Amino acid sequence: MKKFNVVRHFKYWFTLSGLLVILSLASIFMNGFNFGIDFTGGTILDVSYKDPVTVAEVREGLAKDGLETSVIQLSGETQEESGRNVIIRTRNLSSEESQKVVADIALPDNPAEMNRIETVGAVIGSEVTKNTLLNVVLSFGFLIAYMSFRFEHRIAISAITAICHDILMVLGVFAFFQLEIDGSFLAAILTVLGYSMNESVVIFDRIRENLHTHRKTDSYETLANDSIRQTIRRSCYTLTTTMFAVASLYFFGGDTTKNFALVMMIGFLSGAYSSICVATSIWVKWHEHGHSVRNAGLHVKKKDTAAEEA
């Protein structure tokens, strides 16, 4: 890392991120999102068995119809982790599909019987969705204000650009693979937002400190690279520990937590990359552009003054 100049390779970071953003936007507009029952409503199946069954056994049967991510709840009298009555909440099903599901979740020598079928509305209505989006926009506004107050507007815009990059990566993957978006998705997105902002704050806070300690002859590129080197170990430790926990949740946490963990896996990886490579490069190039424009203006002014004196 001592010899690697992160900012000098800004063209690679901007090209890579630009391609990923374009692919994500294309996937979103072409495929759309696969909203779960929290947004679209669904069907409730109340099923009873002859003998007690576990949630895992019911989920295995639902997998035959591609409904393994459905919400399964034991009801009535239960014995530790098993019970005879099961309530399944899944996407909207027709009468024929419901009957097929009941047949598929039946076990050998333990048939399933339908007690009730009910169609329910969306848990997250349009008004709640609008309020959620409004809160996200307000959060971005407060983040920009906070970063501008603590640092400067260039840092604020650079950090917010990196955060937008990370969220687009998550949305693009979910749109491309048509993964289900439910209520937990919003919580995971807010977690990614906080993680990405924290990574950017750590690096830019070190940049702010180094502005007072580095030589005045040092370029902004040197300043940024030194700051990245001083914080890279901390960023790697943070990423490793969080990825270990999230990956464990993804691989061993069950089907209902996979998408929740996947959002954070993608967001954390993208957040570490964008904070180190993208946000700092934007800040450096913005400063360099401003200085070049200012120097060009001073050069023209000096020429005009010399011409007048002549």
Side-chain angles (χ1 to χ4, degrees):
M1 186 65 192
K2 289 183 178 180
K3 295 182 180 180
F4 187 71
N5 190 321
V6 175
V7 178
R8 182 175 297 173
H9 297 83
F10 72 96
K11 291 182 180 179
Y12 295 109
W13 314 136
F14 291 170
T15 301
L16 174 61
S17 296
L19 288 174
L20 291 175
V21 167
I22 291 172
L23 290 174
S24 296
L25 291 174
S27 179
I28 292 171
F29 287 114
M30 293 176 63
N31 299 328
F33 295 113
N34 176 23
F35 290 105
I37 58 176
D38 289 340
F39 291 92
T40 62
T43 299
I44 292 179
L45 304 177
D46 187 353
V47 182
S48 61
Y49 285 84
K50 177 183 176 182
D51 299 316
V53 295
T54 64
V55 171
E57 290 174 326
V58 177
R59 196 176 301 282
E60 185 177 349
L62 289 172
K64 300 175 184 177
D65 299 293
L67 303 175
E68 61 273 12
T69 58
S70 302
V71 178
I72 304 171
Q73 180 182 359
L74 299 176
S75 65
E77 296 183 2
T78 59
Q79 301 174 0
E80 295 183 354
E81 296 182 356
S82 63
R84 290 188 174 88
N85 296 321
V86 179
I87 295 178
I88 303 169
R89 184 185 175 107
T90 184
R91 62 173 174 81
N92 283 313
L93 301 174
S94 64
S95 178
E96 293 76 11
E97 288 176 323
S98 300
Q99 295 298 330
K100 184 177 184 303
V101 168
V102 174
D104 288 337
I105 62 176
L107 302 173
D109 300 325
N110 191 9
E113 180 180 352
M114 177 74 72
N115 296 329
R116 175 173 61 98
I117 302 177
E118 182 180 346
T119 301
V120 297
V123 175
I124 302 178
S126 58
E127 184 176 350
V128 177
T129 303
K130 291 178 181 178
N131 290 335
T132 301
L133 294 176
L134 178 61
N135 289 333
V136 171
V137 172
L138 289 176
S139 298
F140 271 94
F142 283 121
L143 287 175
I144 293 175
Y146 166 74
M147 295 289 284
S148 300
F149 174 77
R150 182 173 179 181
F151 302 105
E152 59 166 348
H153 70 281
R154 293 184 183 90
I155 289 179
I157 300 302
S158 299
I160 293 299
T161 301
I163 292 175
C164 292
H165 169 279
D166 303 332
I167 294 178
L168 276 176
M169 294 303 102
V170 175
L171 295 177
V173 170
F174 269 67
F176 182 80
F177 292 103
Q178 285 294 286
L179 300 174
E180 187 177 279
I181 294 178
D182 54 17
S184 63
F185 180 87
L186 297 176
I189 283 290
L190 291 176
T191 305
V192 169
L193 190 153
Y195 178 88
S196 182
M197 173 57 69
N198 180 68
E199 287 296 303
S200 297
V201 166
V202 168
I203 296 175
F204 284 120
D205 191 55
R206 183 55 59 90
I207 289 176
R208 184 185 62 173
E209 293 175 359
N210 289 338
L211 280 170
H212 303 291
T213 59
H214 270 53
R215 295 189 303 268
K216 293 183 178 180
T217 55
D218 286 342
S219 65
Y220 285 103
E221 181 178 307
T222 300
L223 175 66
N225 279 307
D226 288 345
S227 301
I228 291 172
R229 293 189 189 99
Q230 293 166 8
T231 58
I232 189 68
R233 182 174 296 180
R234 179 262 179 202
S235 297
C236 289
Y237 287 159
T238 302
L239 179 63
T240 301
T241 53
T242 52
M243 286 298 294
F244 179 80
V246 173
S248 299
L249 183 63
Y250 178 81
F251 290 108
F252 306 111
D255 293 327
T256 55
T257 60
K258 280 188 178 296
N259 287 352
F260 175 76
L262 182 61
V263 172
M264 291 190 287
M265 288 176 65
I266 299 170
F268 291 170
L269 287 172
S270 179
Y273 155 73
S274 64
S275 299
I276 295 171
C277 301
V278 178
T280 52
S281 296
I282 292 174
W283 179 79
V284 169
K285 295 306 163 185
W286 195 345
H287 263 292
E288 289 180 350
H289 176 73
H291 274 272
S292 62
V293 171
R294 192 156 48 246
N295 291 337
L298 290 174
H299 182 67
V300 171
K301 187 176 180 180
K302 287 181 180 179
K303 288 181 65 177
D304 291 343
T305 303
E308 289 177 0
E309 291 177 353

